[in-house]
Structure formats: C-alpha cells, structure tokens
Amino acid sequence: MKDLRRYLALKYIQYLVLSSSNAVSTFLGLLGSAYTMLLLQSAKVSSKSTAVLISSLAQADILVFLSLVLGSFGVSSLAGLLLMANAHLSCVLLSCVALEAYLITFLPSESRPHRTVSTARLLCRGVWVLVAAECALFLLDEHLRGSAASAPLCSALGLLLQLCSTATALLQSLCYILGILLRILNVYIYYKIFFSMSPR
C-alpha cells in the first residue's frame, strides 16, 4: 500500500539519512507509527512477512514515547537509553525490510519458503532480544560505575566493572561500524532495485 511505502520512506530518512534525530522528525515518526499500527489492523492489509516487520518497526516507536515521558520526569539517563534502543531497532528492522525487498525482486521463487510470517516474527523477536541485551549491558555498566563512585568495590566487583566497561566500549564501536554498514547495504539494495525496475 502507498501509505506503508510512505511510512517506510519517512523512517529511512529519520534513521538512515539524518545524522541525528530532531523534534520534527521525531514527531512525524510518532504520528506515522501510530497511523501505521492502526492501518495494519485493517482487513485491507494482508498478513505477510513484510507487514510483520513493519508492525515491529512501528511498535519500536513506543520506546520514543516512553523516553519523552521519562525525560519530562527528569530520568534522562534511562530516556536516552530508550532512544538508543529505538534507533538500533529501527535501523535493523529497516534493513530487514530492504533485504526482503531485494529477495522479492531478484530471488522471488527461491526465497519464498523463507519469507513467511513465522520467520518474520522470529526475526523480530530476535532483534528485540538482542537490543534488550544491549540495554541491559549499558545499565549494568552504569550501575557498577555508580557503585564504584560511591564506595570502594571488592576485587570481584572491580573485575566485573572492568569487564563490563570493556564490553560496553567494544559494543559501542561495533554499533557504530554496523550503523555505517547498514546504511551502505540499504543504499546498495535500493540502487539495485531501482535500476532493475527502470525501463531499459
């Protein structure tokens, strides 16, 4: 449907084109996600793997709403973590949609057994679990740093803090590199799709 394609275009601009979020793109993204979740409940939208991915993408914006609520109460650290989780979820899910579009365009019959609703749901759950684990690691690192600042830690907790800090730093570097690779992948996929559909 045209509305879903417009929504995907909006989310691509918000997360994979703009260097940082701003109030306008965040507000438009929330409105688009709310409308999309209502639209996906309609009988006019068939239950396909793409619809499952888009639904999970729209649900990720619930984290943005929660971060705005927490930010208004002064819980800035957790609000920032939720915004980061939303950005990472959205980038990965958008790339999954792009990859599926590539498979539909170039490998329709070969990929059909894998482009199922159950596979899409399993993929979405896996992405959410990975991002939740990422957030848990950041929360643990922040908690240990706070404990170390308030009181001396025993050797075991000190070692845990060191390991957690190293893992957090590596994860941040990995997320940065992965973000660049996802942008390149999406540009390549839609470049291929566009020129394959252009009249020769």
Side-chain angles (χ1 to χ4, degrees):
M1 293 180 67
K2 289 184 178 180
D3 287 341
L4 293 181
R5 287 197 290 270
R6 292 191 188 102
Y7 172 69
L8 286 175
L10 171 64
K11 302 308 281 186
Y12 275 110
I13 293 172
Q14 182 180 1
Y15 290 105
L16 295 173
V17 176
L18 297 178
S19 58
S20 60
S21 60
N22 56 65
V24 175
S25 64
T26 300
F27 178 71
L28 291 176
L30 287 173
L31 284 181
S33 294
Y35 174 71
T36 299
M37 284 192 283
L38 291 175
L39 186 63
L40 290 172
Q41 303 302 316
S42 171
K44 296 180 181 179
V45 180
S46 58
S47 179
K48 294 183 178 179
S49 55
T50 304
V52 173
L53 293 172
I54 295 174
S55 175
S56 186
L57 174 65
Q59 291 167 10
D61 269 7
I62 295 174
L63 299 179
V64 176
F65 177 75
L66 292 176
S67 71
L68 294 176
V69 173
L70 290 173
S72 65
F73 286 102
V75 191
S76 57
S77 59
L78 187 55
L81 190 64
L82 290 176
L83 285 176
M84 181 203 71
N86 168 260
H88 291 180
L89 281 168
S90 298
C91 289
V92 175
L93 290 171
L94 284 168
S95 298
C96 290
V97 173
L99 181 59
E100 185 172 52
Y102 181 89
L103 294 175
I104 291 172
T105 304
F106 297 104
L107 300 168
S109 57
E110 297 91 334
S111 64
R112 186 172 291 113
H114 307 289
R115 291 185 287 105
T116 62
V117 171
S118 58
T119 301
R121 286 175 179 165
L122 184 63
L123 178 62
C124 290
R125 291 192 191 104
V127 173
W128 277 84
V129 167
L130 287 175
V131 174
E134 177 190 18
C135 292
L137 179 61
F138 283 120
L139 284 174
L140 177 61
D141 182 58
E142 183 179 354
H143 174 71
L144 289 175
R145 287 179 183 275
S147 300
S150 60
L153 295 177
C154 65
S155 57
L157 286 178
L159 178 61
L160 180 61
L161 173 60
Q162 185 178 0
L163 290 174
C164 190
S165 298
T166 303
T168 301
L170 289 174
L171 184 58
Q172 288 175 333
S173 300
L174 178 63
C175 289
Y176 178 76
I177 296 171
L178 184 60
I180 295 175
L181 291 178
L182 288 180
R183 283 174 170 82
I184 295 172
L185 175 66
N186 280 272
V187 170
Y188 171 77
I189 287 175
Y190 284 111
Y191 171 84
K192 292 281 290 185
I193 292 175
F194 176 79
F195 281 101
S196 70
M197 299 178 67
S198 299
R200 299 184 184 277

